[in-house]
Every structure is written in structure tokens, then in C-alpha cells.
Amino acid sequence: MNKILCIIALLLLNISLLSCSTANQEPVFQVTPSELFTGDSLKFKSFIENAGAVKVQYRGEKESIRLLAEVWVNGELKEIHPQMGGFLTKETKDGLRAWNGEAIISIDKSENDEGYSQYTTKSVFYEESGQVSYGYTFNADEVHTAFGDIPLHQEQSVSPEEGEVAIWGLQATNLKTLHTMDFSPEQLKLTDWAVIFKLAATEADALDGEQ
């Protein structure tokens, strides 16, 4: 009887290991909210008030993970900045490519030469082997009196080859109130001005000239 139980246990263990091995080889493009300021690092929060971060897990065929941004004005999508930076994926033993790290974005508000609101963005792609940072500036055609971030609240998964996934954003207004916001087009239609950052898988040539 004990011998039979041992054989059954071994069979179940092998099935479990096979299942885990298969799952680890499947394509995936997943982002998970990450808290920037915890523990001792909480003391730095007042120096970087508007910032967000996500953990990224990618396995697929594309050569890089890039950052793009959508600019919404009066509830309509006005501009897409498709090449704002990224990180090259690495080839794996099974022929796919992978990148596991964090994408971090921060924004500082100031005024441009016309006296309108200006938002200077810094994005960082970080993994164990190193990091790459990029800067970008967005100019609004008005003076904003209030602004606030649009965070990612829960884990999101999209197609590793075709999908784009929103990871963080900022909304601003020249009015006195801001709406509670998410990344859905229905909610973004309520914004006065907003910039939404997304990650997408792409080929390496999309990053040429950005660094």
C-alpha cells in the first residue's frame, strides 16, 4: 500500500513540475503595480511627489519593450508619442526573448516660455544587469491650477506581440476639481488635460536614435 502511495505521489510531483515548466515557457506580457516608497525609502517621497512604478514580466518574440505616451486634451486623444525610450529584451534558451524589471516614471511641473504649464518627464527602465533613463517634456496650451497622478491599481496582462498596456498617467486642469480617473477611454473623456504612459513590445529599430 505504501509503495502505491509513493508511486502516486511521484506521478503527481512530475505532473506539477511539468506544468510549472510549461507555464514558464509560455509567452507573457504582464505589468504589476510597484510601491516606490516603502520602509526607509519613505523619507524620499516628498522629493518625488508625482511618480509611479510597475514591475514588468515579458516573454515573447519582440526585441524590445518601449515606452509611449498619449496626450488627451478636453477629453480627446490629440497626440501619441510612440518612441520615448525602452529596454532591449534578451534571448532565452527556448528561442523566445525576455525582460523582467521595473519601469519608473516621474513628472515635474513648471512653466514654459509662454507661461503655460510644462511637464518634464523622466523614465527609467531598471533590471539587475543595469538601467536606462530617458527624458521628455510635454507642453500644455494653458495654465493648470491642479494636477494629480493616475496610477495602475491592479495587475494587467496583454498579448506579448500586439498589446499595449497603460502603466501610469497624470491629469491636470485649469478648473478647481479633478475627477477620480482610470485608463478607460470613457473616463479619459472627462479630463481637461492628461498624459497616459504605456508599454508596448516592439522591434529594436524603434529605439534607434533615442538614447
Side-chain angles (χ1 to χ4, degrees):
M1 183 66 178
N2 289 335
K3 186 176 181 180
I4 295 175
L5 290 176
C6 288
I7 293 174
I8 293 174
L10 287 172
L11 286 173
L12 291 174
L13 178 61
N14 288 333
I15 292 172
S16 176
L17 291 174
L18 180 61
S19 176
C20 291
S21 177
T22 302
N24 289 336
Q25 294 177 6
E26 292 179 354
V28 63
F29 190 2
Q30 177 179 292
V31 297
T32 306
S34 177
E35 180 59 52
L36 277 174
F37 305 104
T38 59
D40 291 340
S41 63
L42 188 62
K43 61 188 176 184
F44 299 112
K45 186 174 183 178
S46 59
F47 295 96
I48 312 176
E49 294 184 357
N50 299 290
V54 295
K55 294 180 179 180
V56 183
Q57 181 182 8
Y58 175 82
R59 284 178 56 81
E61 298 180 354
K62 298 299 184 181
E63 297 175 327
S64 69
I65 305 298
R66 65 179 170 90
L67 182 70
L68 60 92
E70 297 178 350
V71 177
W72 292 68
V73 180
N74 295 324
E76 296 183 359
L77 178 59
K78 290 296 185 181
E79 298 176 324
I80 298 177
H81 301 264
Q83 299 181 18
M84 294 183 58
F87 207 105
L88 295 179
T89 60
K90 296 179 180 179
E91 189 172 356
T92 62
K93 294 180 180 179
D94 56 13
L96 293 177
R97 301 186 67 87
W99 190 75
N100 295 313
E102 287 189 86
I104 304 169
I105 301 172
S106 66
I107 289 185
D108 287 326
K109 179 178 178 292
S110 59
E111 291 184 359
N112 59 21
D113 294 339
E114 288 75 30
Y116 296 139
S117 294
Q118 176 177 274
Y119 299 91
T120 301
T121 300
K122 184 174 183 179
S123 58
V124 178
F125 284 74
Y126 172 83
E127 67 167 357
E128 291 183 357
S129 63
Q131 65 181 44
V132 178
S133 63
Y134 303 87
Y136 204 89
T137 299
F138 299 92
N139 288 291
D141 293 329
E142 59 186 8
V143 178
H144 294 147
T145 56
F147 63 98
D149 62 351
I150 307 173
L152 178 68
H153 293 291
Q154 59 185 6
E155 180 181 284
Q156 299 290 324
S157 296
V158 296
S159 164
E161 306 312 320
E162 303 297 335
E164 298 176 352
V165 57
I167 61 171
W168 192 72
L170 181 135
Q171 62 166 322
T173 183
N174 57 6
L175 305 176
K176 294 182 179 180
T177 59
L178 292 171
H179 296 278
T180 300
M181 193 58 52
D182 59 34
F183 300 122
S184 65
E186 294 77 16
Q187 284 292 302
L188 292 173
K189 288 179 180 179
L190 302 176
T191 59
D192 181 13
W193 188 93
V195 56
I196 305 299
F197 297 93
K198 294 183 174 182
L199 290 179
T202 187
E203 301 302 332
D205 56 8
L207 301 179
D208 288 350
E210 295 179 24
Q211 300 188 32

